[in-house]
């Protein structure tokens, strides 16, 4: 009887150790995936010739950095003679698949 209980205990201990090994392996894989995946930043720029009418916007393109987006937006507003009457925003990693309004990680001026 004691031998049977000892065998069951050893079996359960081996199962528990294998489960712990599997969980640790999953954690390592997830951490490696997160570390190795590309940290892509895609900024979309929008300018508003009239800052009081945000329905009227112009997409000025996509950029690799927030600073590049800001520079192009300021330049576009200057070219429209809307430096003071207009506004702009730069949006990060937007989902454009469903059309407007876009869902973005964040927006900045």
């Amino acid at each position: 009887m004691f031998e049977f209980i000892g065998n069951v205990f050893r079996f359960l201990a081996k199962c528990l150790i294998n489960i712990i090994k599997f969980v640790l392996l999953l954690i390592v894989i997830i951490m490696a995936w997160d570390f190795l995946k590309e940290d892509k930043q895609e900024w979309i720029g929008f300018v508003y010739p009239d800052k009081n009418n945000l329905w009227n916007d112009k997409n000025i393109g996509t950029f690799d950095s927030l600073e590049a987006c800001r520079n192009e937006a300021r330049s576009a507003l200057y070219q429209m003679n809307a430096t003071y009457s207009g506004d702009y925003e730069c949006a990060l990693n937007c989902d454009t698949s469903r059309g407007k309004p876009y869902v973005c990680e964040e927006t900045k001026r």
Side-chain angles (χ1 to χ4, degrees):
M1 177 71 171
F2 290 117
E3 184 180 332
F4 175 74
I5 293 173
N7 288 337
V8 169
F9 179 75
R10 280 189 288 282
F11 174 75
L12 291 175
K14 285 181 183 180
C15 288
L16 184 61
I17 289 171
N18 286 333
I19 289 171
I20 291 171
K21 286 179 183 178
F22 180 74
V23 168
L24 288 174
L25 179 64
L26 280 178
I27 290 171
V28 168
I29 289 171
I30 290 170
M31 289 175 66
W33 176 265
D34 191 48
F35 178 76
L36 295 175
K37 77 176 182 180
E38 184 180 338
D39 191 21
K40 182 184 126 194
Q41 285 197 351
E42 181 179 79
W43 292 89
I44 300 176
F46 301 95
V47 294
Y48 307 96
D50 178 1
K51 62 183 166 190
N52 297 315
N53 180 7
L54 300 181
W55 292 103
N56 181 19
D57 66 279
K58 179 182 176 193
N59 183 328
I60 57 167
T62 58
F63 306 91
D64 293 333
S65 70
L66 174 59
E67 198 56 40
C69 180
R70 286 175 172 159
N71 290 338
E72 186 63 30
R74 291 177 187 136
S75 176
L77 286 172
Y78 178 78
Q79 291 172 5
M80 295 177 181
N81 292 321
T83 303
Y84 299 106
S85 63
D87 202 0
Y88 70 90
E89 92 186 315
C90 295
L92 177 63
N93 296 337
C94 298
D95 177 7
T96 59
S97 64
R98 295 183 214 139
K100 290 184 181 180
Y102 299 146
V103 176
C104 307
E105 288 180 15
E106 66 178 297
T107 58
K108 293 193 175 194
R109 188 170 187 287

